[in-house]
């Protein structure tokens, strides 16, 4: 192995690729075929490349085995985090402690995935994003670049709340376009779009799309005013 520092009780599967200067903590499990880039830190109790287990009544299609996880250069994966198979983390991603990144998820470069964040299956997260502590990114969501999601934000994808088979045809995650921002404890309902530089105030419930450069607030969220010029992404 190329200049790898490894702790105690580390389990490494077959055909795992390591770049240069990789640090691996104690009690880490890395499954078969995982690729880990240069200058990467894997802290204690991390699991990388885990195949998902499907519940008997799950609506997700059964997949026998997913492709391996790919982790770029300069990535940090915090203590007790789990990165599932077929997830891809680009260069300089930071994953804090206790985070979960599910299968078929991509995370763009220099994005921060905060403590206890869950990014569910089939999500795309862009570059230079900040997903703060305990935020929840529902399955089938798209988050573009330079997005800020405050602590304890909840996103949803099922308007039928697990009742009736009709819901299977209507699952839809949320979309946050470039520069979108969501305040603490906000809830975004299924399929809603936060357009470019749109902002959602803390504690709001978003039931309609948020217009470009607009601030919304309340339950349900309504337009409050335009984002101040100095706060627009282009002026940062």
């Amino acid at each position: 192995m190329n200049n790898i520092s490894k702790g105690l009780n580390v389990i490494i599967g077959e055909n795992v690729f390591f770049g240069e200067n990789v640090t691996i903590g104690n009690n880490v499990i890395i499954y078969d075929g995982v690729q880990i880039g240069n200058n990467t830190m894997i802290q204690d109790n991390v699991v990388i490349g885990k195949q998902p287990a499907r519940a008997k009544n799950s609506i997700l299609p059964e997949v026998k085995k997913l492709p391996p996880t790919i982790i770029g250069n300069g990535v940090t994966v915090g203590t007790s985090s789990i990165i599932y198979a077929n997830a891809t983390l680009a260069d300089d991603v930071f994953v804090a402690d206790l985070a979960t990144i599910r299968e078929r998820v991509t995370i763009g470069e220099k994005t921060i995935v905060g403590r206890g964040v869950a990014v569910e299956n089939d999500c795309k997260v862009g570059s230079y994003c900040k997903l703060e502590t305990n935020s929840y990114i529902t399955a089938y969501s798209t988050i573009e670049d330079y997005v800020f999601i405050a602590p304890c934000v909840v996103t949803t994808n099922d308007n039928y709340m697990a009742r009736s088979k009709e819901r299977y045809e209507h699952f839809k995650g949320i979309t946050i376009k470039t520069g979108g921002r969501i305040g603490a404890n906000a809830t975004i309902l299924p399929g809603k779009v936060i357009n470019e530089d749109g902002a959602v105030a803390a504690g709001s419930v978003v039931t309609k799309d948020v217009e470009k450069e607009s601030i919304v607030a309340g339950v349900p969220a309504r337009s409050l005013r335009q984002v101040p010029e100095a706060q627009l992404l282009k002026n940062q």
Side-chain angles (χ1 to χ4, degrees):
M1 294 185 181
N2 302 324
N3 192 23
I4 292 175
S5 172
K6 186 172 67 170
L8 302 175
N9 302 317
V10 173
I11 299 174
I12 298 175
E14 297 181 355
N15 302 315
V16 175
F17 171 83
F18 293 99
E20 299 284 345
N21 191 31
V22 174
T23 301
I24 302 173
N26 302 308
N27 307 313
V28 171
I29 301 174
I30 302 174
Y31 284 92
D32 295 353
V34 169
Q35 299 180 40
I36 297 176
N38 303 323
N39 304 311
T40 291
M41 177 181 294
I42 311 298
Q43 297 181 343
D44 299 340
N45 303 311
V46 166
V47 177
I48 299 178
K50 179 183 184 296
Q51 294 288 331
R54 182 178 178 274
K56 290 182 179 179
N57 62 345
S58 173
I59 66 163
L60 294 175
E62 185 172 2
V63 177
K64 293 190 181 297
K65 189 171 183 180
L66 294 173
T69 305
I70 300 174
I71 293 179
N73 301 318
V75 172
T76 296
V77 181
T79 298
S80 299
S81 292
I82 303 175
I83 315 295
Y84 279 66
N86 205 13
T88 300
L89 279 58
D91 294 349
D92 298 317
V93 166
F94 183 91
V95 179
D97 301 343
L98 301 169
T100 302
I101 297 175
R102 289 288 303 271
E103 65 273 16
R104 298 183 297 275
V105 168
T106 61
I107 308 287
E109 64 177 349
K110 299 187 186 299
T111 282
I112 296 171
V113 179
R115 179 182 173 88
V117 168
V119 182
E120 295 285 16
N121 55 281
D122 301 280
C123 288
K124 181 177 180 181
V125 179
S127 300
Y128 298 92
C129 295
K130 292 182 180 179
L131 313 182
E132 298 284 356
T133 299
N134 292 332
S135 55
Y136 176 78
I137 310 303
T138 193
Y140 313 113
S141 293
T142 299
I143 295 173
E144 295 185 355
D145 300 336
Y146 295 98
V147 166
F148 176 84
I149 298 179
C152 300
V153 166
V154 174
T155 62
T156 61
N157 63 17
D158 182 6
N159 270 323
Y160 292 82
M161 295 189 291
R163 297 282 173 85
S164 83
K165 293 182 179 180
E166 184 182 357
R167 68 192 177 101
Y168 298 160
E169 300 177 7
H170 298 284
F171 278 117
K172 191 172 184 181
I174 60 101
T175 299
I176 307 175
K177 296 194 175 181
T178 298
R181 295 178 294 170
I182 303 178
N185 288 302
T187 300
I188 315 299
L189 295 190
K192 299 303 173 278
V193 178
I194 315 299
N195 282 291
E196 292 85 349
D197 262 320
V200 177
S204 299
V205 176
V206 174
T207 62
K208 297 180 180 179
D209 293 351
V210 176
E211 295 183 2
K212 180 179 179 180
E213 300 177 6
S214 175
I215 300 174
V216 300
V219 182
R222 292 183 172 88
S223 181
L224 185 63
R225 60 178 180 270
Q226 293 298 106
V227 174
E229 190 71 17
Q231 284 287 313
L232 295 176
L233 182 62
K234 66 184 180 183
N235 295 323
Q236 305 309 302

